[in-house]
Each structure stands twice: as structure tokens, then as C-alpha cells.
Amino acid sequence: MQGYIVSRILLMIPTLLGVAIITFILLRMVPGDVVQLKLAGDGGNVAAEVIQAERARLGLDKPLLAQFFDWIWGAVRFDFGLSMWTGRPIIQEVLIRLELSVQLTIMATLIATVLALPLGILAAVKRDTWIDYAVRIFSIAGLAIPSFWLGIVLILVLLIAFQYSPPLSFTPFFKDPVENLSQLIWPALAVGYRYSAVATRMTRSTLLEVMREDYVRTARAKGLRESLVVVRHALRNAFLPVVTVIGLEFAFLLGGLLVTEQVFNLNGIGKLMVEAVLRRDYTMTQALILLVASVFVLVNFLVDLLYVWLDPRVSYR
Amino acid sequence: MGLTRRTFLRSSVAMLAATACSPTAAPVSKPAETKPATPPTSAPPAAQPTVAAQPTAVAPPAASAAQTPAAAAAPRTGGELQFIVGAEPPSFDGHRETTFALLHALSPHYSLLIRFNPDAYPEVMPDLAESWDVSADKLTYTFKIRDGVKFHDGSPCTARDIKASYDRILNPPEGVVSARKGSYGAVESVEAPDPGTIVFKLKYPSAALLTLLASPFNYIYSADKLAADQKFPEKNVLGTGPYKFVEYVPGSHWVGQKNPDYFVQGRPYLDGFRANFIREPAAQIAAIRGGRAQIEFRGFPPPARDDLVRAMGDKIKVEESAWIVTLIAIFNTEKAPFNDPRVRRALNIAVDRWEGSNALSRITVVKPVGTFVRPGSPFHRPESELLKMEGFSRDMTQAREEARRLLREAGVPDGFAFNLKNRDVPTPYEPSGVFLIDQWRRIGLNVTHVQQESNAYLSDHRAGNFEVSVDFIADYADEPDIQLSKFLSPDRSASNYSRYTDRELDALYDQQSRETDPERRNQLVWQFEDRCIQQMAYAFPIIWWQRIVPYSSSVKNYPVLPSHYVNQDLAHVWLDA
């Protein structure tokens, strides 16, 4: 087990290095640069030498290889440098937004889990009844409706029916829970619904599969109540794929809800990434993509470890 | 064209914008305060030259900051103004940046030497300067500085600080960017003979000097702070303006609170302000409709204005003004057939701006028809003169026939195909591009609309990677020195993307810049435009923007001026109960 953990951790290094190299190259292939947009984007008639001087100040006049090594050397020391747009430390910019993104991810995961598990179980147990059909319609709708569109509808309903719009700024939960939830509950519902749809369908299908296993038949033959059969024997074994889905979705959300954050004007990682890309803020974009990739790799790793706890038959050598 | 994620999102956002403001049970009558816009069918008459355009006017304007602007009702003190800013300032340094986002967040913290008078734009009025004199030869401007002005840290603000700030703008030290350094070529030196006097000495007379000194970007910084670190203003806020800096949360908001020591007695009225950074128009509209914000200073397109009015009734009022922003069509004069002036002229002549104004002003933020100077500005030619210009005729049958004749002469009688590059900004770039393509189709041209994300668009402009493109002029003042500088030869203008060198045009620019007689200056400006638009047709204006600002009726004393860059210090704004 320890050997497995060490090898997985070591494998993260080439994975993240690959992400860093691809990101670096792709960003340089896109036309435009941050200086041009910053100094001439609003129509300013800025002299060419001013633009050149600013490019030099940001190190954009160096050879690409030198730029890459400068950046990657900083990254391995967790020094991601300064944003090319704001000149502020990237770590600081990310930390400002991380609390919101983490909280939104947790809220959406909670909503999704609370909805998905009972509904998935219910649909599997009551297979081909009206309950199953209702749950399937509910979950297919969740998959079909993009969360940002649902967000737009939520905003409209709040505006038109209640003349209400959510707060514009993020307030930490422990400072003012009501204000905090007033802002985040709506995007959490919009995102959590889609998330729950994926998890509901996975719970239903894996549970149905497990319910056909011999040991479930044996449990029933012993005379156990159906609820005990489901909870004690079937559910735990059905959890592996569900946990995988929830883990991947968690990583996806933590990496940023690019569109939903724009719709709800949330100051999260997703909005920061969109703005960084549009501004050609190379250092910021590279750092954020590396962060998102790291989260994915880490969550996948943790999910794999969770398998051992959920299913004693699983072991890594 | 396939449905891309971007297109889908944009459509959704547009849908939200439209739907968010759809009629509800709210009253449907338009508020009485809505001002009619400038009629598109007539260019406003040329106004009389102002103080800004007349350096010979030695007497300072009668109005003072303390007296201006006059409010109809008794102002009320207190309250926090919540407004929306559609972008964020890259840094806090006004000398360096060029974006409105900086001005909307930071102008309440700073003072200028002189500023535009919000009640009599484009006149200038004192700010830190109490008064000024201009020498008979128009080469020396002497400003008397207010006594007793303090920075927010309590240190005094004197002529020394003004000199240090202008030295930084005119001769930025190594590593400091001064975006508008090139505008002050006439200034030879800035001197501070005593704490209460600042003197600008010029190399030659400049008709534009006072307007340039009223630039809303020319914040006055502390000389001591600059001496310690010339980059101090990039990350710190220390001014003498009506509001002190409280908090900035990147990506979220900016907060200021009343400066009790502000040098204008009784100002500001507000306890403070909060600027909320919201990029998406739909979210901006939702914030105003939901009462989370009271105003977005740049404004909204007509459909959003109308829907907000329908939804909010008398809780919203609307002000409009011709805007000092225009879209222009530019040609890459190094690429055939656009290296032939006859082709360029044909494309200019074929555009029916008057009809375009009527049609486009219903859906987007354009309306006034004019040249390179804003209709209604002191430099704009009267309609009778405008109609004589190529491209401004109302007889489009004859104009299009003339355009076809020019194309025949140029050797392309059957028309040709080309790409029109444009910014992928829905308002007003996209509809304006579609409008141009339709106009050119009528003379047999086959044009493809190539829309690009802003950075790629700017990059292609600089690299000359286009045939014809939609470009823009956006400025803080009606001043030919600013508006026309773009069209100078490339060795003098980095934003001359048409890539022509025309020394005759350069000479006309210099002549108008040094001409201090308003009438003679106007003639020179018009000669410049005649050459640039008609004879050589390097570039031509499409339709000028119309600033439409729907805002909460609780906001008082914010006159909507032709520029969203000026009048942003919020010293005189107050909130009704």
C-alpha cells in the first residue's frame, strides 16, 4: 500500500509537468498579449516604445525557453510570481477567491449528495414504477439543462416574482451566515442540481447491478428485510462508482465554474480564470490551470484510496 | 457557422438581459425625466469655443468647485452610492492606465490641477488650482494653487506635489509608464517657484493645453511618496479628493468613505461609495433592477433602457448624451485593392449613415452622425457643411452610383470579396459591422464579417493582418489634438493601423494644434478631415456612440456628460431618501 501511494505521488510530477508545458505552449500560440490589451485596449494612442518597455518589464521579450524555466522554477517552489495584469502576487489573487469557490463546491456537493443518494436508491428499489420514472425524468432534466441556464432562470424568477437579486459581494460564512447564504445558495442549487443528476443516475444503475448479485439473493433468501438487504449488503458495494463520480465532480467544481460564476457574478476561481485568459495574463492562467490540474490529480488519488475503505476486497500492492 | 459555447453563452446572456427587464406588473409609463436624444437627422450646431479651447482667456471661470453644480432640490447628506464598474483597473496609477475602470474606482480619491465643469462641459474649472493666467505670447501658464489642501494622510499638498506629478507624466523615470506623455509635446517645463504657484512653460502655443491639463487621468500624487518610490501610485491610494480609500477586494468591489478634510466646504454629500465590479451586462442589469446598485456610468443599450423603464417605472430615470466614442472603418493601405484611394472612397461614399443612425439607434448605443470630432462639440462642422462631404450625402442613389463609378475606374467594376474584421463585442461593434456589410453589398461587394476576441483583434491591427477593420476612438474630451492624433503617420502615431505616411496630414495636425484662434483652428481641423476622410479616405467614421444611462431616481446631481471618463469624483452627487 505504501509503495502504491509513493508511486502515485511520483506519477503526479510528470502529469503536472505535462500540463505546465502544454499550457505554456498553447497560451503563446494565441494571438495578442497582455500589454497591448492593458495599454491600448481602450483606444489609448500609446507609443510603441512604451509598449515595448512594458513587455520587457514583464519579461515577455525573453526567449520562450527562458520564460518557461523562470516560471517553472518558481512554480516548484510554490512561487507563481506576479499577475501580468495587476502586478499583484498570484497566490494572493487566488487566495482571495478560493474561499468562495471551496464553499460553493462544498454546498453544491452537499446538495447533490442529499438529493442523489435517496433518489437513486428509491429509483432502483422501485424500478419501473412511477417513482422510478419521476426520478429518471428529474435526473435527465438535470443533465439536459446547463447549470448556468438554470442560474439565469433562478435570477429571473427572483427578480420578477420577488424583485430580489442576490448580494453582489462575497461575505465569509462565519462573518454573516445569512448574507453569505443569500449569495451562494442560488448558484449552489443551480450547480448542485446538475451534479445530483449525474450522481442519481449512477446510484440507480450501480445499485440495480449490485441487486442482481448472488450475495444479495442470498441475503434475501435468509429472510432479511428488503431495507436491510439494500442498506447493509447492496449499497456499500454500489458506492464505488458513485464516489468516483462525486469526486470528479468535486474536483471539477473546485477548478472553477467558468460560466456559472459569470452569470451570478461570483468572485471565484472560474471568473478569475476567464478574465486571465481574456487578458492573456500568462502567469495567472498558467498558475490556475496548474492548480486545477493538481486538484484533479489529488482528488482522483484520494478517491482511489477511498476504495480501500469502502470495499475491503480492494487492495493496492 | 456552428453554435459555439461562446455564441451560446452570449445568446443566453442577451436573453437574460432582455428577459430580466421584461414588463411586469410595474407601471409602463416612461419617466418624465427621460431626455430626448440628439436627433439623428441633424448634427448639432457648432458650439462657441470654450475656456478650454481658448488659452487667451486669462480670467478663471466664475464657477468654483464649491458652487458647482447647482442642484434643483436641496442636497441631502449621507448614504452610500453603490455603482457598477464593468471592468477592473490593472493598477491604481492614473498616469499609467487608459481604462475607464480606473477612473470610476479611483477618481473619487484624487484631485486634478483643473477639471471639466460638469455643468458647462467642455469648459474647465479650478480644482487644486484657484485661478490661472496666460501670458500674452501664450507660452506661459501660471496657476495659483489652493492653500490648506491636505492629502488623506494629513500631509500638505502644494505646488511641489503638482510639479512632481506632472514631471512624472511628462518625463517618466525608468520603469514608469506614462500613457499620455505624447500629448504634452508642447510643454517645455513645469516649475514651482513657490508652494502656491505652478508654471507651465511651452515651446510653442498650444490650443489644447487647458483641455489636456484637465485630463481625468492626471491625478496629483504626493511628491514625498514619489521621491521615495516612483511606483508608489501603482499599488497605493493617497490623494486629496473627496473620498478616502477604505478597501479593495480584487474581482469584487472597491470602497471609499467621505474625506472630512476635503478642501471644498460641505462636500462630498455622500458618506461613501462602493464600486462593484460586474463584467456581464445581464448581471449589471439584474443588480440595478434588484436595487443592489444604483448606476452603471457607461450605460446600457436602448432595449435594456426601455425594459428597465418598463419594469421600474418612476424608480429609474434615464439621461442620454452624444458620447465621445465613435467607430471608424480603417483600411490596410498596404493591401490591394485598398492601396487605391478610389476604392477606399467608394466604400466611404456607399455608407448611408443617416439611415444607419435611424436603424441602429433602436438596438444599440449609436446615434449621432459626424466626422472625427463629436457632433455637438465646438469643432464639429454644421450640417450644411457636413452634407457636402463625401459619405454624408442623403441622396444615396447618386452616392452609390458614384461609388460604382470609382470602383470601375479603379479596375474592379464587378466588385470583389474581402473580410471585414471586427471586435466580438455585441454593443455596438457587431450590429455596426453588419450594417457596413449590408451597405457595401449594395454596390456589389461581397464582404465576410470576421469577428475576433479583443486581444486577437488588437494584435491583428498592430500587425496589419487585415484588409478592412472596424476601429474606434474613445476619449475624455472633445479635442482634435486627441481625436486626430490617431491618423498621423506611423512614426508619430502607434495607433495608425492603416499604415500610410502622409506628411501633409501631419502638417495640418501641427498647424491646428498651434492655432489659438478658434475659427481658424476649426478650418484647419476640417481641412485635416477633408483630406483624411474624403480625398485619401484612409479611414472614415461610421456612427458616433450615444451614451444612455438609466439609473436609480434616488441618485441626484450626476449630469450625464459626453464622456464617461470625466465628472467621476462624485463630490457633488447625493442620494435622495
Side-chain angles (χ1 to χ4, degrees):
Chain A
M1 182 71 178
Q2 282 176 346
Y4 173 78
I5 292 174
V6 171
S7 70
R8 282 292 301 268
I9 290 172
L10 288 176
L11 266 176
M12 287 180 192
I13 296 170
T15 307
L16 294 177
L17 187 64
V19 168
I21 292 170
I22 292 170
T23 308
F24 185 90
I25 293 170
L26 286 180
L27 277 174
R28 265 68 179 181
M29 287 169 68
V30 181
D33 73 57
V34 61
V35 177
Q36 191 167 262
L37 193 65
K38 194 157 56 166
L39 294 181
D42 276 12
N45 191 359
V46 179
E49 56 267 25
V50 173
I51 288 181
Q52 279 310 317
E54 183 66 359
R55 294 190 88 249
R57 193 180 71 83
L58 295 176
L60 291 169
D61 59 343
K62 289 184 186 172
L64 281 185
L65 215 55
Q67 288 183 44
F68 179 75
F69 282 115
D70 281 354
W71 175 69
I72 206 74
W73 175 238
V76 297
R77 292 175 291 134
F78 295 101
D79 174 9
F80 294 95
L82 305 176
S83 159
M84 288 184 169
W85 183 262
T86 64
R88 286 188 291 273
I90 286 172
I91 294 283
Q92 183 189 324
E93 295 270 12
V94 170
L95 286 178
I96 286 169
R97 283 126 173 133
L98 199 60
E99 185 180 350
L100 183 148
S101 287
V102 169
Q103 190 191 335
L104 183 58
T105 302
I106 292 170
M107 284 174 70
T109 305
L110 284 176
I111 289 170
T113 311
V114 165
L115 281 175
L117 295 187
L119 288 178
I121 295 166
L122 205 57
V125 172
K126 305 285 182 187
R127 187 185 179 188
D128 292 336
T129 65
W130 69 268
I131 295 175
D132 182 25
Y133 294 137
V135 170
R136 283 159 71 181
I137 290 170
F138 177 79
S139 59
I140 286 173
L143 289 175
I145 298 171
S147 50
F148 72 84
W149 187 86
L150 187 61
I152 289 171
V153 172
L154 274 174
I155 291 172
L156 289 180
V157 169
L158 291 172
L159 266 178
I160 293 170
F162 305 104
Q163 285 79 49
Y164 173 84
S165 72
L168 301 177
S169 307
F170 175 70
T171 307
F173 182 80
F174 293 105
K175 189 175 175 190
D176 185 345
V178 174
E179 186 77 355
N180 172 280
L181 293 177
S182 303
Q183 185 190 32
L184 292 189
I185 191 66
W186 315 108
L189 280 172
V191 174
Y193 176 40
R194 191 199 65 83
Y195 190 170
S196 76
V198 179
T200 302
R201 288 179 65 78
M202 185 57 78
T203 306
R204 178 184 176 276
S205 64
T206 53
L207 194 57
L208 281 175
E209 206 175 304
V210 168
M211 297 281 271
R212 284 194 288 266
E213 294 289 334
D214 290 349
Y215 60 85
V216 173
R217 187 190 57 204
T218 306
R220 280 178 175 145
K222 285 196 311 186
L224 281 181
R225 276 183 290 126
E226 186 65 13
S227 57
L228 278 179
V229 171
V230 171
V231 173
R232 192 177 295 170
H233 295 276
L235 204 55
R236 192 161 178 181
N237 289 297
F239 259 168
L240 292 186
V242 177
V243 166
T244 307
V245 164
I246 290 176
L248 284 177
E249 286 286 324
F250 186 90
F252 171 75
L253 296 186
L254 205 55
L257 293 157
L258 305 186
V259 184
T260 306
E261 285 184 7
Q262 298 283 330
V263 168
F264 284 97
N265 191 48
L266 299 177
N267 192 26
I269 298 291
K271 189 177 163 203
L272 182 64
M273 191 180 301
V274 169
E275 286 174 354
V277 170
L278 289 176
R279 294 165 176 167
R280 304 290 189 277
D281 188 345
Y282 295 149
T283 47
M284 177 66 80
T285 311
Q286 287 162 188
L288 287 174
I289 291 178
L290 201 61
L291 171 75
V292 172
S294 305
V295 169
F296 262 94
V297 168
L298 200 64
V299 170
N300 260 325
F301 174 58
L302 292 177
V303 167
D304 284 352
L305 294 185
L306 204 58
Y307 285 174
V308 179
W309 177 74
L310 283 170
D311 188 345
R313 291 170 300 175
V314 176
S315 66
Y316 299 114
R317 292 178 189 150
Chain B
M1 191 177 70
L3 184 66
T4 61
R5 188 187 185 97
R6 177 185 284 269
T7 320
F8 182 55
L9 175 60
R10 183 179 299 147
S11 309
S12 306
V13 168
M15 187 176 70
L16 172 60
T19 322
C21 307
S22 61
T24 62
V28 294
S29 61
K30 283 196 173 185
E33 289 159 285
T34 301
K35 286 185 179 176
T38 310
T41 49
S42 64
Q48 290 302 305
T50 64
V51 172
Q54 293 185 85
T56 48
V58 291
S64 73
Q67 297 163 332
T68 301
R76 182 178 160 269
T77 55
E80 182 184 61
L81 180 71
Q82 294 255 2
F83 58 89
I84 296 164
V85 187
E88 271 187 88
S91 80
F92 304 166
D93 186 351
H95 301 175
R96 167 196 177 88
E97 305 300 344
T98 59
T99 172
F100 74 93
L102 174 127
L103 297 171
H104 289 192
L106 281 117
S107 288
H109 302 301
Y110 284 103
S111 305
L112 308 168
L113 177 62
I114 53 175
R115 59 194 291 251
F116 290 103
N117 184 342
D119 281 344
Y121 177 88
E123 283 181 16
V124 293
M125 59 185 280
D127 201 9
L128 285 176
E130 269 181 340
S131 63
W132 60 87
D133 285 311
V134 184
S135 64
D137 61 3
K138 294 161 190 163
L139 292 176
T140 305
Y141 286 65
T142 306
F143 295 86
K144 283 287 166 204
I145 306 304
R146 287 176 192 269
D147 191 26
V149 178
K150 287 180 183 170
F151 283 102
H152 295 159
D153 65 354
S155 59
C157 175
T158 66
R160 183 173 155 261
D161 301 292
I162 297 169
K163 174 179 163 48
S165 300
Y166 270 94
D167 282 346
R168 188 171 184 266
I169 293 168
L170 302 176
N171 301 299
E174 178 84 24
V176 171
V177 171
S178 170
R180 284 158 293 275
K181 176 187 172 185
S183 300
Y184 300 92
V187 180
E188 185 167 43
S189 67
V190 182
E191 293 164 12
D194 63 69
T197 309
I198 190 103
V199 181
F200 284 74
K201 292 199 168 162
L202 307 190
K203 297 171 199 161
Y204 46 81
S206 166
L209 187 74
L210 288 175
T211 301
L212 296 173
L213 294 181
S215 165
F217 291 98
N218 290 4
Y219 297 150
I220 302 304
Y221 296 135
S222 158
D224 288 339
K225 297 293 181 190
L226 292 180
D229 177 9
Q230 282 285 342
K231 292 191 174 183
F232 177 82
E234 286 183 19
K235 292 179 183 171
N236 301 280
V237 182
L238 180 63
T240 54
Y243 298 89
K244 290 184 174 181
F245 173 73
V246 174
E247 180 187 41
Y248 169 46
V249 177
S252 178
H253 60 268
W254 184 291
V255 181
Q257 70 176 24
K258 182 175 189 163
N259 171 15
D261 299 323
Y262 185 47
F263 56 81
V264 179
Q265 199 68 30
R267 302 288 193 284
Y269 294 119
L270 301 169
D271 287 339
F273 71 89
R274 185 184 183 93
N276 297 288
F277 300 112
I278 306 178
R279 187 185 183 89
E280 286 300 323
Q284 295 175 356
I285 293 167
I288 287 185
R289 187 168 169 187
R292 294 282 178 186
Q294 287 135 343
I295 186 168
E296 199 280 344
F297 294 116
R298 287 188 305 170
F300 297 111
R305 169 201 61 195
D306 297 342
D307 290 339
L308 273 172
V309 167
R310 274 197 295 272
M312 297 181 70
D314 61 3
K315 290 181 183 163
I316 196 137
K317 62 181 175 182
V318 182
E319 279 195 61
E320 298 191 14
S321 165
W323 207 344
I324 313 176
V325 190
T326 186
L327 295 184
I328 61 175
I330 58 170
F331 299 99
N332 185 338
T333 58
E334 292 178 347
K335 289 193 177 179
F338 304 106
N339 53 355
D340 186 333
R342 289 169 297 189
V343 173
R344 302 194 299 260
R345 282 176 58 203
L347 266 69
N348 175 31
I349 291 170
V351 178
D352 184 352
R353 292 165 175 82
W354 306 102
E355 186 51 39
S357 167
N358 276 333
L360 292 176
S361 63
R362 294 180 204 146
I363 58 168
T364 192
V365 290
V366 296
K367 195 161 195 170
V369 174
T371 55
F372 288 148
V373 288
R374 182 181 63 88
S377 78
F379 307 97
H380 192 253
R381 62 185 86 197
E383 186 176 341
S384 57
E385 291 294 318
L386 186 67
L387 287 169
K388 293 175 191 167
M389 285 186 79
E390 275 190 356
F392 292 89
S393 168
R394 289 181 187 276
D395 183 353
M396 288 312 294
T397 308
Q398 191 188 23
R400 291 195 178 110
E401 186 47 49
E402 173 65 3
R404 287 191 198 93
R405 186 188 67 74
L406 286 167
L407 290 179
R408 280 196 300 275
E409 265 186 30
V412 281
D414 301 324
F416 55 95
F418 65 92
N419 288 335
L420 173 71
K421 287 211 169 170
N422 199 356
R423 207 170 190 170
D424 67 345
V425 176
T427 297
Y429 291 81
E430 282 181 6
S432 298
V434 171
F435 162 70
L436 279 183
I437 289 169
D438 178 61
Q439 296 293 301
W440 290 334
R441 182 185 56 79
R442 298 183 194 197
I443 57 167
L445 302 176
N446 179 13
V447 190
T448 303
H449 202 185
V450 180
Q451 293 177 262
Q452 295 177 296
E453 172 264 318
S454 291
N455 217 323
Y457 160 90
L458 287 169
S459 179
D460 276 355
H461 273 190
R462 288 209 174 249
N465 184 22
F466 69 96
E467 295 170 293
V468 185
S469 186
V470 176
D471 197 0
F472 62 101
I473 303 173
D475 286 308
Y476 62 85
D478 293 303
E479 171 48 56
D481 270 18
I482 307 173
Q483 264 101 54
L484 303 184
S485 66
K486 179 180 183 65
F487 305 103
L488 294 173
S489 299
D491 55 353
R492 297 184 58 184
S493 166
S495 61
N496 175 353
Y497 304 123
S498 294
R499 307 166 89 84
Y500 57 83
T501 296
D502 188 330
R503 296 303 173 204
E504 192 176 329
L505 213 52
D506 296 349
L508 279 169
Y509 178 88
D510 292 338
Q511 285 171 41
Q512 68 78 27
S513 180
R514 296 171 194 206
E515 178 54 68
T516 52
D517 177 80
E519 274 309 309
R520 285 204 295 273
R521 190 178 187 211
N522 272 0
Q523 294 299 325
L524 290 165
V525 168
W526 297 349
Q527 281 178 43
F528 182 101
E529 291 184 328
D530 286 346
R531 180 163 180 82
C532 193
I533 300 172
Q534 291 195 113
Q535 295 157 23
M536 303 310 293
Y538 296 125
F540 61 77
I542 305 172
I543 301 172
W544 280 75
W545 290 26
Q546 178 81 354
R547 190 175 174 208
I548 303 168
V549 187
Y551 61 98
S552 166
S553 49
S554 64
V555 178
K556 305 293 180 189
N557 219 15
Y558 178 77
V560 171
L561 302 181
S563 171
H564 60 298
Y565 292 81
V566 301
N567 190 32
Q568 292 301 141
D569 72 351
L570 309 179
H572 310 288
V573 174
W574 54 279
L575 291 172
D576 207 355

